[in-house]
Amino acid sequence: MGIDFDAALKELFEVDRPTLLGALARGEAVREFLNVELPHVELPRADIVARLAGRSILHVEFQSTNDPDIGYRQGIYCLRLGQKFRGDVRQVLVYVGRGRLKMKGFHRTGGTTVEFDVIDIRAFRAEALLNTGNPADLALAMLARGGADLLPEIMKRAGRLRGPARERLMGQLLVLSGLRGLPGKVELEMNRMGVVIDARKNPVLMRYLRDARVEGREEGRQEGRQEGREVGHEEGRRAQLSVLLETKFGRLEPWVTERLARATAQQLDLWARKFVNAERIDQVIRRR
């Protein structure tokens, strides 16, 4: 199962507004963010849609893999957004993956051409983002060029924040570290700093669990049976615990996946509580 990093990135951009947002908008102020679900599209939820000060629409998509069909997707999004808001739409694809960027910013099908900006987050230097003074840039600095080498300093500066901003940033760093294979190092730095994340209170990690509950309820409603609702809810929790475990400890071994698949609701609750302070996956789920 792949990890969906969009939730953490969406919150980072919409709530904390990193410096990169201004660059994507080409210096134009963001007037408001728009939560958009587009009908009749296989992937209907656009990552970020914002109305700019000049009334045009900015659409930002995050991509952690090279998708050969990205041109088709962007074209569908562009037409649907243009139809919905009756205005100009500018699209930016932000690549946050580890492999080499292979996607192009255009696609041609017959007489139709789709064009959009493509930005590799590694085009930005981690040191430059670290020194903007904007706390929201710290999470992106970890993904930028040279971010792994500056991780101790990134974590140190994140630790200076206080209150909800600190909790949110720590959750973002933990989740997004999976994009660079750094969950273990982030966890080590947190331990050195004496930072403990309560997944039940952290807004970033709780978003996974909240989305899972909504998914489960919707699945139950569609089936029209109480049993369907209960099964959907439990499967959503199972899937999200798998995401959290993979984010923190790396690719899951077959025995872990097997135990998750057979787990009862009580076991899932127990493992979710153990996950918060565990340093190894066998401290959450024991091998049998």
Side-chain angles (χ1 to χ4, degrees), residues 135-156:
D137 289 337
L138 294 175
L140 293 179
M142 178 179 62
L143 303 179
R145 187 169 72 251
D149 295 334
L150 291 175
L151 185 59
E153 182 61 23
I154 291 171
M155 297 298 297
K156 179 180 177 181

Side-chain angles (χ1 to χ4, degrees), residues 10-11 22 30 32 46-47 94 97-98 118 139 167 179 187 194 198 237 263-264 269 287:
K10 180 180 175 67
E11 183 165 39
V30 172
E32 61 179 324
D47 287 341
V94 180
R98 296 176 68 182
V118 179
E167 282 292 306
L179 290 168
E187 186 76 9
D198 187 341
R237 291 167 57 206
T264 64
D269 286 340
R287 185 194 292 266

Side-chain angles (χ1 to χ4, degrees), residues 127-264:
E127 185 177 4
L129 290 172
L130 198 61
N131 293 325
T132 63
N134 185 345
D137 289 337
L138 294 175
L140 293 179
M142 178 179 62
L143 303 179
R145 187 169 72 251
D149 295 334
L150 291 175
L151 185 59
E153 182 61 23
I154 291 171
M155 297 298 297
K156 179 180 177 181
R157 297 195 187 191
R160 293 173 183 165
L161 299 178
R162 293 292 180 267
R166 181 174 181 265
E167 282 292 306
R168 189 167 55 250
L169 180 56
M170 287 296 180
Q172 290 164 348
L173 286 165
L174 181 58
V175 172
L176 297 178
S177 65
L179 290 168
R180 294 292 180 266
L182 296 172
K185 291 185 178 180
V186 169
E187 186 76 9
L188 178 61
E189 293 298 329
M190 286 183 176
N191 289 338
R192 287 176 177 171
M193 296 162 58
V195 173
V196 177
I197 291 183
D198 187 341
R200 295 164 296 181
K201 297 180 180 179
N202 188 279
V204 178
L205 302 182
M206 279 302 296
R207 176 174 286 190
Y208 284 110
L209 304 176
R210 185 167 59 250
D211 289 347
R213 287 195 291 271
V214 171
E215 245 177 61
R217 287 196 297 268
E218 181 61 28
E219 181 176 335
R221 281 194 295 269
Q222 290 174 353
E223 292 182 3
R225 302 192 307 269
Q226 179 64 30
E227 180 182 354
R229 285 195 293 270
E230 293 174 354
V231 170
H233 176 68
E234 186 170 313
E235 286 305 310
R237 291 167 57 206
R238 193 188 318 276
Q240 296 308 321
L241 180 58
S242 176
V243 167
L244 293 174
L245 289 170
E246 190 171 346
T247 299
K248 189 171 184 178
F249 301 113
R251 185 179 296 275
L252 302 182
E253 295 185 31
W255 69 268
V256 177
T257 303
E258 181 181 348
R259 292 217 59 195
L260 281 170
R262 293 186 288 104
T264 64

